Amino acid sequence: MFLNYLALLKEIRFPDILDIAFSSAIIWFLFSIFRARRTWRIGAGLIGYGLILLIAHELEFNLTVRILQGLSAVVVLTIVVIYQNEIRRVVDELFHLVFRRRAKLLPGQGSVPEQLVRIAYELSERRWGALIILSGQLSLDNLITEGTRLNGLLSRPLLMSLFDPGSPGHDGALVLHGDRIERFGSRLPLTEHDEQVQERGTRHAAAIGLSEKTDALILVVSEESGTISVAKEGRLETVSDSQALLCEINDFGSDLASRESGRKRYQSYFRMALRLMFAVVMTSVIWLVMVPGSAVVTMDFVVPIQVQDIPDGYEFDSVTPPEAVVYLTGERRELFKLKPEDLLISLDATLTALGRQTYTLNNSQMMLPGTLKIDKIEPGSVKVKVRKISMPN
């Protein structure tokens, strides 16, 4: 059956290539959105929804198909609403891969990471809460409130004054890009996954929420306990000591530098190519089944003839010819599913006792699956011979 579908590739036309290309792009885009560990379950549920719709269509559950098709618009709208941030992130990633926007990088080794570590632990000792965002390549503009623009050079006195409990913006987040403080007092989106937050507080929920939607690294100093945590890629981890925090910041800076230098970019292109290849293969299979596979055609099959209901006192001798060519009309995919054992012409030989030998072949002598119809049978008639059995005295 697989080879039958491959043979349909010769029927592909330029509009079909465009159709496959646009559909592949849609599947690639959805796959890119659902690849995150936080959303794969819902993505799997939507794939299951599509499979149920396809199976219902194949089994001709017309009412079920109509209900599911009516819900499709609601499903699409739900995807857009629930995954608006993920959609934005995928678009941002694609933009950066194509246009290569240069990011201001944190040095892999140097004064900025060391200053941040010293300041973080000083804030920890004083029990001053802090939220520091180290920007990555993805834009933060649509995710955080403006806060107060600063564009100041990173320094200990400036950071300590900004996070002083008496400062108006100490409860907000500070955005750091390279060695420049872009803004402070900003508000971040909170995570909807409370299992990591537990009793930690709003700062930690905000750090996780932003890390779920961007490639930033967020440093959190707890006001209650003085613990220092880092949030990245939707995960929050408490650092054990100053060396561990320094390694986190340096690794983040090195990763940014690698992406800008090209290694990570090529890895991103490679992963994108794999996802795109997967989307093209999946779309091509769906296209073969749903487009040329749904076309109504006529195909011929060689079908054996079986003689049954031999009268008492007679035994079967021969049927000539033993096979017939049956022309069936229906959807290609239904015809491709047929197996040799599915097709059989059954003749009722009851009248052979009265001397009848010629039997006309007709549609009632075959049982066909699905919506297939018999277009023609050749030859139109066959001869059945039986012989009388000698009865013992």
Side-chain angles (χ1 to χ4, degrees):
M1 184 171 68
F2 177 72
L3 294 178
N4 289 332
Y5 278 113
L6 287 182
L8 298 180
L9 290 173
K10 64 185 180 183
E11 299 183 13
I12 194 168
R13 303 164 301 159
F14 181 71
D16 297 322
I17 295 175
L18 293 179
D19 187 17
I20 293 173
F22 284 123
S23 300
S24 298
I26 294 173
I27 292 178
W28 169 83
F29 191 75
L30 292 176
F31 184 74
S32 298
I33 293 172
F34 296 133
R35 76 183 189 274
R37 61 179 177 274
R38 298 174 299 278
T39 57
W40 70 266
R41 289 185 179 88
I42 298 180
L46 291 174
I47 293 174
Y49 172 86
L51 289 175
I52 292 173
L53 179 59
L54 181 62
I55 292 172
H57 182 271
E58 289 294 311
L59 296 178
E60 298 183 351
F61 294 167
N62 295 326
L63 179 59
T64 303
V65 169
R66 290 187 179 184
I67 292 175
L68 292 177
Q69 287 177 338
L71 292 175
S72 296
V74 178
V75 171
V76 172
L77 181 60
T78 302
I79 291 174
V80 174
V81 172
I82 294 178
Y83 293 110
Q84 54 183 318
N85 291 322
E86 283 78 4
I87 292 172
R88 173 188 168 276
R89 181 167 184 171
V90 171
V91 173
D92 276 349
E93 288 178 352
L94 183 60
F95 177 86
H96 289 300
L97 284 172
V98 174
F99 295 103
R100 302 190 178 191
R101 190 184 75 174
R102 181 172 294 274
K104 297 179 181 178
L105 304 177
L106 285 170
Q109 299 287 340
S111 62
V112 172
E114 293 170 357
Q115 282 189 75
L116 286 174
V117 171
R118 286 196 298 268
I119 293 168
Y121 274 89
E122 185 172 350
L123 291 168
S124 172
E125 290 175 1
R126 298 190 183 193
R127 295 293 194 272
W128 288 2
L131 195 56
I132 303 173
I133 303 167
L134 279 63
S135 300
Q137 287 190 318
L138 300 183
S139 173
L140 305 175
D141 293 340
N142 296 326
L143 293 173
I144 64 177
T145 56
E146 182 68 18
T148 301
R149 287 279 177 179
L150 182 58
N151 195 29
L153 186 66
L154 173 67
S155 66
R156 175 195 168 278
L158 182 55
L159 255 69
M160 297 304 293
S161 65
L162 293 176
F163 287 118
D164 187 305
S167 169
H170 78 280
D171 280 333
L174 180 145
V175 180
L176 189 65
H177 204 104
D179 60 354
R180 310 293 296 186
I181 301 173
E182 288 190 345
R183 65 185 80 174
F184 69 96
S186 298
R187 298 289 182 239
L188 311 183
L190 302 181
T191 182
E192 297 178 359
H193 302 85
D194 298 332
E195 64 275 7
Q196 290 192 78
V197 179
Q198 298 178 355
E199 299 179 357
R200 284 172 166 153
T202 306
R203 281 191 180 88
H204 297 82
I208 299 170
L210 185 65
S211 71
E212 290 173 344
K213 300 172 178 63
T214 71
D215 60 346
L217 179 72
I218 301 98
L219 310 184
V220 190
V221 180
S222 173
E223 186 174 354
E224 290 77 15
S225 64
T227 57
I228 300 175
S229 306
V230 295
K232 60 180 179 180
E233 298 179 353
R235 304 297 299 175
L236 182 71
E237 297 178 357
T238 301
V239 295
S240 56
D241 52 40
S242 59
Q243 187 60 39
L245 179 58
L246 182 62
C247 288
E248 286 284 355
I249 298 173
N250 281 332
D251 289 345
F252 176 74
S254 298
D255 182 64
L256 278 178
S258 296
R259 277 187 276 174
E260 187 60 32
S261 65
R263 180 171 61 86
K264 288 289 185 178
R265 185 179 302 280
Y266 292 135
Q267 290 177 357
S268 298
Y269 278 129
F270 180 72
R271 289 192 295 268
M272 182 185 293
L274 286 180
R275 293 197 297 269
L276 186 58
M277 185 182 302
F278 172 79
V280 170
V281 171
M282 178 181 289
T283 306
S284 299
V285 171
I286 296 173
W287 179 83
L288 286 173
V289 174
M290 300 302 296
V291 181
S294 65
V296 177
V297 296
T298 299
M299 298 176 61
D300 59 281
F301 297 84
V302 177
V303 181
I305 300 173
Q306 180 187 70
V307 179
Q308 56 186 14
D309 297 327
I310 306 296
D312 294 336
Y314 292 85
E315 65 179 6
F316 174 72
D317 183 18
S318 65
V319 55
T320 307
E323 298 173 330
V325 178
V326 180
Y327 295 85
L328 299 179
T329 299
E331 292 185 349
R332 271 201 183 103
R333 58 173 176 263
E334 291 290 334
L335 294 170
F336 287 165
K337 292 178 186 176
L338 290 177
K339 301 176 182 177
E341 57 268 24
D342 294 332
L343 300 177
L344 182 68
I345 297 175
S346 298
L347 291 181
D348 183 351
T350 305
L351 297 180
T352 54
L354 302 177
R356 181 173 178 179
Q357 291 186 331
T358 301
Y359 284 79
T360 300
L361 301 181
N362 56 62
N363 299 359
S364 64
Q365 296 159 347
M366 285 189 67
M367 296 292 293
L368 294 175
T371 58
L372 299 179
K373 296 180 181 179
I374 298 175
D375 188 58
K376 182 172 59 173
I377 302 177
E378 292 181 349
S381 61
V382 296
K383 288 189 176 182
V384 177
K385 291 184 180 181
V386 296
R387 54 177 174 268
K388 194 161 185 160
I389 301 173
S390 299
M391 302 296 293
N393 294 328

